[in-house]
Amino acid sequence: MCSPEHFAVEYAINPWMDVTTPVDRELAVKQWDRLRETLVGLGHQVHLLTPEPGLPDMVYAANGAFVVDGSVYGARFKHEQRAGEAAAHHAFYAEQSWRFVAPSETNEGEGDFAYVPEAHGGLILAGHGFRTEIAAHAEAQEVLGRPVVSLRLIDPRFYHLDVALAALDDANVVYFPGAFSAASQRVLTQLFPDAVIADDEDAMAFGLNLVSDGANVVLNSEATRLAGKLKAAGYNPVPVELAELKKGGGSVKCCIAELRH
């Protein structure tokens, strides 16, 4: 995770960003701290990336890389405003002595990649259409040695896979069908017949931008309907307020890069 010490909405690179809407940075830090404390309280270890001036979106740490079984596929951001973040993430993994592979293709890390380790032997779900190029899906497959399923995003509000779909445990997912092309919806139905299906209200509340450890699902507190669906499916929803960071087009998952050893 990376503290939003320098967080601001200084440009608009997704439909949620509005440069005329003021951001309360102090409140953003408090809300982010509460998210970090929630993860620690659930028994997880949180590593911190040092925020850098001039990179106001660094708080969205999930976008900096994608990690599977100790191998790291680095990010290459689409927009120049975020390009500098990639080096900070690379440096973190280098310090940890992780196997890091720099990308040739444009991709935004866990923003557009999700891993479901026990689904069909271990699947990477990969989004394209707005940020990550489809060529990066093939590159990720070569780097990580896991089959990659390409899913086309069609609604600019859901510009990353992680605002439309999330892994709930080692074998199942939750997603909003309307974010995907008709063909991609059919693929998801085939792969995950027991998936939790979110509706438009859930998605617009950034409910899909969640993190789950298989039992506890940390999600945006505004997504009350989705929290109910997850509870009914046997998960423990853990709501967290992230209204300030939502102004940049992200929520819980965007703030968390998962380190899969």
Side-chain angles (χ1 to χ4, degrees), residues 70-83:
S71 291
V72 186
Y73 177 48
R76 184 176 182 178
F77 289 87
K78 178 181 173 104
H79 296 286
E80 63 178 351
Q81 293 96 329
R82 299 196 64 185

PDB file of all heavy atoms in Angstrom, residues 70-83:
ATOM      1  N   GLY A  70       5.284 -15.540  -6.550  1.00  0.00           N
ATOM      2  CA  GLY A  70       6.590 -14.936  -6.377  1.00  0.00           C
ATOM      3  C   GLY A  70       7.202 -14.325  -7.621  1.00  0.00           C
ATOM      4  O   GLY A  70       8.300 -13.773  -7.563  1.00  0.00           O
ATOM      5  N   SER A  71       6.511 -14.417  -8.755  1.00  0.00           N
ATOM      6  CA  SER A  71       6.976 -13.766  -9.980  1.00  0.00           C
ATOM      7  C   SER A  71       6.170 -12.500 -10.215  1.00  0.00           C
ATOM      8  O   SER A  71       4.946 -12.486 -10.037  1.00  0.00           O
ATOM      9  CB  SER A  71       6.824 -14.701 -11.183  1.00  0.00           C
ATOM     10  OG  SER A  71       7.737 -15.777 -11.090  1.00  0.00           O
ATOM     11  N   VAL A  72       6.860 -11.449 -10.617  1.00  0.00           N
ATOM     12  CA  VAL A  72       6.232 -10.131 -10.748  1.00  0.00           C
ATOM     13  C   VAL A  72       6.265  -9.674 -12.207  1.00  0.00           C
ATOM     14  O   VAL A  72       7.338  -9.570 -12.815  1.00  0.00           O
ATOM     15  CB  VAL A  72       6.970  -9.086  -9.880  1.00  0.00           C
ATOM     16  CG1 VAL A  72       6.218  -7.757  -9.900  1.00  0.00           C
ATOM     17  CG2 VAL A  72       7.146  -9.582  -8.453  1.00  0.00           C
ATOM     18  N   TYR A  73       5.091  -9.421 -12.747  1.00  0.00           N
ATOM     19  CA  TYR A  73       4.969  -8.828 -14.084  1.00  0.00           C
ATOM     20  C   TYR A  73       4.737  -7.341 -13.871  1.00  0.00           C
ATOM     21  O   TYR A  73       3.708  -6.927 -13.332  1.00  0.00           O
ATOM     22  CB  TYR A  73       3.802  -9.479 -14.834  1.00  0.00           C
ATOM     23  CG  TYR A  73       3.515  -8.907 -16.211  1.00  0.00           C
ATOM     24  CD1 TYR A  73       4.535  -8.714 -17.135  1.00  0.00           C
ATOM     25  CD2 TYR A  73       2.215  -8.573 -16.587  1.00  0.00           C
ATOM     26  CE1 TYR A  73       4.277  -8.197 -18.393  1.00  0.00           C
ATOM     27  CE2 TYR A  73       1.937  -8.071 -17.849  1.00  0.00           C
ATOM     28  CZ  TYR A  73       2.967  -7.880 -18.748  1.00  0.00           C
ATOM     29  OH  TYR A  73       2.704  -7.371 -20.003  1.00  0.00           O
ATOM     30  N   GLY A  74       5.708  -6.521 -14.257  1.00  0.00           N
ATOM     31  CA  GLY A  74       5.648  -5.093 -13.992  1.00  0.00           C
ATOM     32  C   GLY A  74       4.611  -4.364 -14.838  1.00  0.00           C
ATOM     33  O   GLY A  74       4.116  -4.892 -15.839  1.00  0.00           O
ATOM     34  N   ALA A  75       4.302  -3.150 -14.421  1.00  0.00           N
ATOM     35  CA  ALA A  75       3.313  -2.333 -15.122  1.00  0.00           C
ATOM     36  C   ALA A  75       3.980  -1.372 -16.097  1.00  0.00           C
ATOM     37  O   ALA A  75       5.143  -0.979 -15.928  1.00  0.00           O
ATOM     38  CB  ALA A  75       2.477  -1.541 -14.125  1.00  0.00           C
ATOM     39  N   ARG A  76       3.209  -1.014 -17.103  1.00  0.00           N
ATOM     40  CA  ARG A  76       3.599   0.037 -18.044  1.00  0.00           C
ATOM     41  C   ARG A  76       2.332   0.853 -18.298  1.00  0.00           C
ATOM     42  O   ARG A  76       1.439   0.404 -19.005  1.00  0.00           O
ATOM     43  CB  ARG A  76       4.137  -0.562 -19.341  1.00  0.00           C
ATOM     44  CG  ARG A  76       4.652   0.477 -20.326  1.00  0.00           C
ATOM     45  CD  ARG A  76       5.256  -0.203 -21.546  1.00  0.00           C
ATOM     46  NE  ARG A  76       5.790   0.753 -22.488  1.00  0.00           N
ATOM     47  CZ  ARG A  76       6.393   0.432 -23.611  1.00  0.00           C
ATOM     48  NH1 ARG A  76       6.558  -0.843 -23.927  1.00  0.00           N
ATOM     49  NH2 ARG A  76       6.841   1.364 -24.425  1.00  0.00           N
ATOM     50  N   PHE A  77       2.259   2.016 -17.671  1.00  0.00           N
ATOM     51  CA  PHE A  77       1.014   2.778 -17.642  1.00  0.00           C
ATOM     52  C   PHE A  77       0.658   3.397 -18.994  1.00  0.00           C
ATOM     53  O   PHE A  77       1.536   3.813 -19.753  1.00  0.00           O
ATOM     54  CB  PHE A  77       1.098   3.883 -16.583  1.00  0.00           C
ATOM     55  CG  PHE A  77       1.062   3.359 -15.177  1.00  0.00           C
ATOM     56  CD1 PHE A  77       2.225   2.961 -14.533  1.00  0.00           C
ATOM     57  CD2 PHE A  77      -0.137   3.253 -14.492  1.00  0.00           C
ATOM     58  CE1 PHE A  77       2.197   2.469 -13.233  1.00  0.00           C
ATOM     59  CE2 PHE A  77      -0.186   2.766 -13.193  1.00  0.00           C
ATOM     60  CZ  PHE A  77       0.988   2.375 -12.558  1.00  0.00           C
ATOM     61  N   LYS A  78      -0.633   3.456 -19.251  1.00  0.00           N
ATOM     62  CA  LYS A  78      -1.115   4.041 -20.497  1.00  0.00           C
ATOM     63  C   LYS A  78      -0.917   5.554 -20.533  1.00  0.00           C
ATOM     64  O   LYS A  78      -0.520   6.121 -21.557  1.00  0.00           O
ATOM     65  CB  LYS A  78      -2.604   3.712 -20.680  1.00  0.00           C
ATOM     66  CG  LYS A  78      -3.217   4.319 -21.931  1.00  0.00           C
ATOM     67  CD  LYS A  78      -4.698   3.987 -22.058  1.00  0.00           C
ATOM     68  CE  LYS A  78      -5.311   4.742 -23.225  1.00  0.00           C
ATOM     69  NZ  LYS A  78      -5.555   3.929 -24.396  1.00  0.00           N
ATOM     70  N   HIS A  79      -1.199   6.217 -19.404  1.00  0.00           N
ATOM     71  CA  HIS A  79      -1.150   7.673 -19.364  1.00  0.00           C
ATOM     72  C   HIS A  79       0.172   8.165 -18.773  1.00  0.00           C
ATOM     73  O   HIS A  79       0.638   7.652 -17.751  1.00  0.00           O
ATOM     74  CB  HIS A  79      -2.318   8.224 -18.549  1.00  0.00           C
ATOM     75  CG  HIS A  79      -3.663   7.920 -19.151  1.00  0.00           C
ATOM     76  ND1 HIS A  79      -4.129   8.570 -20.272  1.00  0.00           N
ATOM     77  CD2 HIS A  79      -4.620   7.023 -18.804  1.00  0.00           C
ATOM     78  CE1 HIS A  79      -5.335   8.094 -20.577  1.00  0.00           C
ATOM     79  NE2 HIS A  79      -5.650   7.156 -19.711  1.00  0.00           N
ATOM     80  N   GLU A  80       0.736   9.182 -19.403  1.00  0.00           N
ATOM     81  CA  GLU A  80       2.050   9.676 -18.972  1.00  0.00           C
ATOM     82  C   GLU A  80       2.026  10.217 -17.552  1.00  0.00           C
ATOM     83  O   GLU A  80       3.050  10.212 -16.862  1.00  0.00           O
ATOM     84  CB  GLU A  80       2.544  10.764 -19.938  1.00  0.00           C
ATOM     85  CG  GLU A  80       1.678  12.008 -19.995  1.00  0.00           C
ATOM     86  CD  GLU A  80       2.247  13.061 -20.942  1.00  0.00           C
ATOM     87  OE1 GLU A  80       3.384  12.871 -21.410  1.00  0.00           O
ATOM     88  OE2 GLU A  80       1.546  14.059 -21.188  1.00  0.00           O
ATOM     89  N   GLN A  81       0.858  10.684 -17.094  1.00  0.00           N
ATOM     90  CA  GLN A  81       0.768  11.226 -15.733  1.00  0.00           C
ATOM     91  C   GLN A  81       1.119  10.188 -14.672  1.00  0.00           C
ATOM     92  O   GLN A  81       1.544  10.531 -13.570  1.00  0.00           O
ATOM     93  CB  GLN A  81      -0.642  11.773 -15.455  1.00  0.00           C
ATOM     94  CG  GLN A  81      -1.012  12.988 -16.272  1.00  0.00           C
ATOM     95  CD  GLN A  81      -1.792  12.633 -17.522  1.00  0.00           C
ATOM     96  OE1 GLN A  81      -1.592  11.562 -18.096  1.00  0.00           O
ATOM     97  NE2 GLN A  81      -2.663  13.525 -17.953  1.00  0.00           N
ATOM     98  N   ARG A  82       0.944   8.912 -15.006  1.00  0.00           N
ATOM     99  CA  ARG A  82       1.208   7.858 -14.027  1.00  0.00           C
ATOM    100  C   ARG A  82       2.468   7.048 -14.339  1.00  0.00           C
ATOM    101  O   ARG A  82       2.840   6.174 -13.555  1.00  0.00           O
ATOM    102  CB  ARG A  82       0.007   6.908 -13.940  1.00  0.00           C
ATOM    103  CG  ARG A  82      -1.274   7.578 -13.486  1.00  0.00           C
ATOM    104  CD  ARG A  82      -2.323   6.562 -13.053  1.00  0.00           C
ATOM    105  NE  ARG A  82      -1.882   5.818 -11.874  1.00  0.00           N
ATOM    106  CZ  ARG A  82      -2.565   4.797 -11.342  1.00  0.00           C
ATOM    107  NH1 ARG A  82      -3.691   4.393 -11.907  1.00  0.00           N
ATOM    108  NH2 ARG A  82      -2.116   4.177 -10.269  1.00  0.00           N
ATOM    109  N   ALA A  83       3.118   7.339 -15.442  1.00  0.00           N
ATOM    110  CA  ALA A  83       4.243   6.515 -15.898  1.00  0.00           C
ATOM    111  C   ALA A  83       5.343   6.369 -14.846  1.00  0.00           C
ATOM    112  O   ALA A  83       5.956   5.307 -14.709  1.00  0.00           O
ATOM    113  CB  ALA A  83       4.818   7.094 -17.189  1.00  0.00           C
TER     114      ALA A  83
END
